[in-house]
Amino acid sequence: MKLVAGLGNPGLEYAWTRHNLGWLVADQVISRLNLKGPQNRFHGQLWGPARVGSDSLCILKPLTFMNLSGKSVLAAFRELNLVASECLLVVDDVALPFGTLRLRARGSAGGHNGIASVLGALQTFEVPRLRCGVGRPANARGLADYVTDNFDKEENASLDSFVEKGAEAVLLWLRLGIDRAMNRVNAG
């Protein structure tokens, strides 16, 4: 069993914000795989399980708000009897330029509160993550305001292709495993 957890914030006011990029990528994977659902489970919405290749896959969109995502992911982890390497977090990342993807097998939260919540709940750094770059604000305003703002006109122009690229990275992780997928995703 594999779990993809797209992190974001519930509510219409957050639907098209930078902080919900994990949800947008998860939605694209759901659409591409024609997954049935969602079910309201694990303090979130869950699609699957569905067969993808030789694995079963569930996709989770926590409804706990970004900074409390660990509560939802931990509930899924326990009931689905997963190990950390079987879960992929999909998140926005201000440390990367808009449109950039980085796939990692493990590591610290790097200042991302959603990742920190999951790592704390699971008590391990061994959780793979797909970081989707949203860039930093051009002016000195706070990061919280920036990530919870809607994408700007320039970002919106390339958002569909970026989300598609993120979904393809998730599918590479499913098909190839973390090491081979990292080689492909991080090279481009």
Side-chain angles (χ1 to χ4, degrees), residues 70-149:
K71 178 180 181 179
S72 178
V73 174
L74 178 62
F77 241 62
R78 286 180 172 160
E79 188 168 320
L80 299 174
N81 198 29
L82 299 172
V83 296
S85 62
E86 296 170 328
C87 178
L88 178 68
L89 304 179
V90 183
V91 300
D92 64 291
D93 195 315
V94 297
L96 297 171
F98 184 85
T100 304
L101 296 174
R102 287 294 175 266
L103 186 60
R104 298 283 184 250
R106 66 191 57 80
S108 72
H112 193 287
N113 291 332
I115 296 174
S117 176
V118 172
L119 297 180
L122 300 180
Q123 298 183 352
T124 183
F125 290 115
E126 303 297 314
V127 181
R129 72 284 316 256
L130 177 64
R131 298 168 42 224
C132 305
V134 295
R136 288 196 177 276
N139 55 28
R141 70 180 188 182
L143 280 180
D145 288 337
Y146 177 74
V147 297
T148 57
D149 276 349

Side-chain angles (χ1 to χ4, degrees), residues 22-97:
W23 275 24
L24 297 175
V25 171
D27 287 340
Q28 183 64 28
V29 174
I30 291 162
S31 176
R32 283 184 64 177
L33 297 176
N34 198 24
L35 298 179
K36 303 297 182 221
Q39 303 168 49
N40 290 318
R41 292 182 67 193
F42 311 127
H43 312 286
Q45 293 183 311
L46 182 77
W47 286 258
R51 294 299 285 168
V52 178
S54 61
D55 277 316
S56 291
L57 170 70
C58 287
I59 296 184
L60 176 67
K61 289 171 53 176
L63 296 174
T64 52
F65 285 94
M66 180 68 76
N67 296 355
L68 301 173
S69 297
K71 178 180 181 179
S72 178
V73 174
L74 178 62
F77 241 62
R78 286 180 172 160
E79 188 168 320
L80 299 174
N81 198 29
L82 299 172
V83 296
S85 62
E86 296 170 328
C87 178
L88 178 68
L89 304 179
V90 183
V91 300
D92 64 291
D93 195 315
V94 297
L96 297 171

Side-chain angles (χ1 to χ4, degrees), residues 142-164:
L143 280 180
D145 288 337
Y146 177 74
V147 297
T148 57
D149 276 349
N150 290 336
F151 294 101
D152 65 28
K153 186 177 179 181
E154 186 178 303
E155 292 165 340
N156 269 319
S158 60
L159 184 60
D160 287 345
S161 63
F162 183 32
V163 168
E164 181 63 35

